[in-house]
Amino acid sequence: MTAENGTFTIARTLAAPIERVWQAFADKQAKQAWFAGPPGWTRYAHDFDFRVGGEEFSSVGEEGGPRHIFRAHFYDIVDTERIVYAYEMYRDDVRMSVSLALIELEAEGDQTTFRITENGIYFGDDPDWGGAGREEGTGLLADALVASVLDGDR
Amino acid sequence: MLNYSDELDQTFHALADPSRRAMLERLSQGPASVSDLAAPLAMTMAAVLQHLKVLESGGLVRSAKSGRVRVCTVDAEAFDGVQRWLDERRRAWEQRLDRLEAYLAQTSESDGKGEAR
């Protein structure tokens, strides 16, 4: 299996005060309202021990499909400010990736700026992506791209 | 800097034309000059160059001048595994954030206490 490294960052302004946004990250019930698989997916398990040294475990999936597993370890938590965690993603027993993430919140009056920065190692050869890496000469490159974009959400 | 949605729009736009898809399929067999790409297409060179520009903006094709010849290649990064994985992780977050926004809006309406704690 190959291993490749990649990074992304997302920022968004949320129309809620920082304390409520923080609650959505810190409280298990609140988190389940939004930290989920796509509509129609089953939540098989969710363990959430939100403290430094604590872990989170989530398993979701479609009926009859593979389990998409998320396992995180919390390294740093500063109330209403930031969360640092490392996480793995599995599809059934196969580990797909290992990543490091930083979530930052900043109050902007009644609103909150959310930012996530992730760096991860991806082990490649996701079967749902047709096993294509850099296959050429197939004339199906465009199909592969469209398929990967329309791929089910995780 | 383009955000993710703009990039995706450009890629889909690039794919949404049969001549451009034909050019992409030709390039998937190996690099080609602009003349090579134009040969099977019933259009002016200007039109071919316009299509090429759209393919490049869509991140699917790269081209470079080699002497007087412009050589085009497919941009493997568009189909690269790690790029797709990153796009997926980003997409997953965008969707979660959409749901988070909905949740925050919902709970704000039902919470009569306002933001005081």
Side-chain angles (χ1 to χ4, degrees):
Chain A
M1 251 182 178
T2 57
E4 294 180 81
N5 180 263
T7 272
F8 71 86
T9 186
I10 294 174
R12 211 192 267 209
T13 300
L14 301 167
I18 198 168
E19 292 81 6
R20 284 214 300 114
V21 177
W22 179 258
Q23 266 309 95
F25 283 89
D27 177 81
K28 183 176 180 178
Q29 295 311 119
K31 188 165 185 183
Q32 287 189 351
W34 63 276
F35 192 82
W41 281 33
T42 305
R43 186 192 300 277
Y44 297 113
H46 186 212
D47 303 323
F48 188 49
D49 181 17
F50 188 65
R51 59 181 178 86
V52 175
E55 307 209 325
E56 181 172 16
F57 177 88
S58 156
S59 175
V60 298
E62 276 181 297
E63 195 66 45
R67 306 269 161 122
H68 297 275
I69 288 161
F70 166 91
R71 182 186 293 161
H73 182 100
F74 298 105
Y75 285 94
D76 188 45
I77 297 172
V78 179
D79 216 69
T80 70
E81 276 186 38
R82 72 166 178 266
I83 306 167
V84 177
Y85 60 99
Y87 74 93
E88 302 164 275
M89 295 213 61
Y90 292 81
R91 178 190 314 230
D92 288 328
D93 293 331
V94 179
R95 189 166 61 191
M96 305 301 296
S97 65
V98 179
S99 305
L100 189 60
L102 166 66
I103 287 176
E104 296 170 286
L105 298 183
E106 198 171 326
E108 308 271 340
D110 287 344
Q111 304 196 312
T112 304
T113 301
F114 163 90
R115 179 184 306 274
I116 180 158
T117 307
E118 285 201 18
N119 180 276
I121 289 127
Y122 169 63
F123 294 108
D125 301 330
D126 186 325
D128 280 0
W129 291 335
R134 297 163 194 262
E135 280 173 15
E136 290 176 349
T138 63
L140 293 174
L141 289 172
D143 289 348
L145 175 65
V146 171
S148 76
V149 167
L150 296 178
D151 181 24
D153 314 290
R154 309 257 155 83
Chain B
M1 176 139 180
L2 291 179
N3 68 28
Y4 174 66
S5 305
D6 287 346
E7 283 172 4
L8 207 52
D9 283 350
Q10 297 218 334
T11 303
F12 272 116
H13 176 58
L15 291 171
D17 177 276
S19 302
R20 290 198 288 267
R21 288 198 296 275
M23 288 167 70
L24 198 56
E25 293 205 15
R26 167 62 187 82
L27 289 173
S28 73
Q29 288 155 27
S33 68
V34 177
S35 315
D36 290 341
L37 288 177
L41 301 169
M43 60 179 68
T44 64
M45 184 56 78
V48 172
L49 290 171
Q50 179 56 32
H51 281 308
L52 189 58
K53 199 163 145 194
V54 173
L55 283 168
E56 286 181 290
S57 299
L60 297 169
V61 168
R62 286 191 210 264
S63 75
K65 236 16 195 317
S66 181
R68 277 187 296 165
V69 177
R70 177 164 290 277
V71 177
C72 308
T73 51
V74 82
D75 186 344
E77 259 192 38
F79 307 98
D80 181 77
V82 75
Q83 189 58 46
R84 285 181 295 183
W85 173 71
L86 286 173
D87 289 347
E88 183 205 273
R89 301 314 309 145
R90 201 187 273 115
R91 196 162 77 243
W93 264 107
E94 297 283 4
Q95 285 160 357
R96 285 184 199 138
L97 290 170
D98 289 346
R99 286 195 291 264
L100 175 56
E101 282 182 328
Y103 166 77
L104 290 168
Q106 233 173 12
T107 48
S108 160
E109 282 155 27
S110 59
D111 175 13
K113 296 183 202 143
E115 64 227 47
R117 253 201 345 177

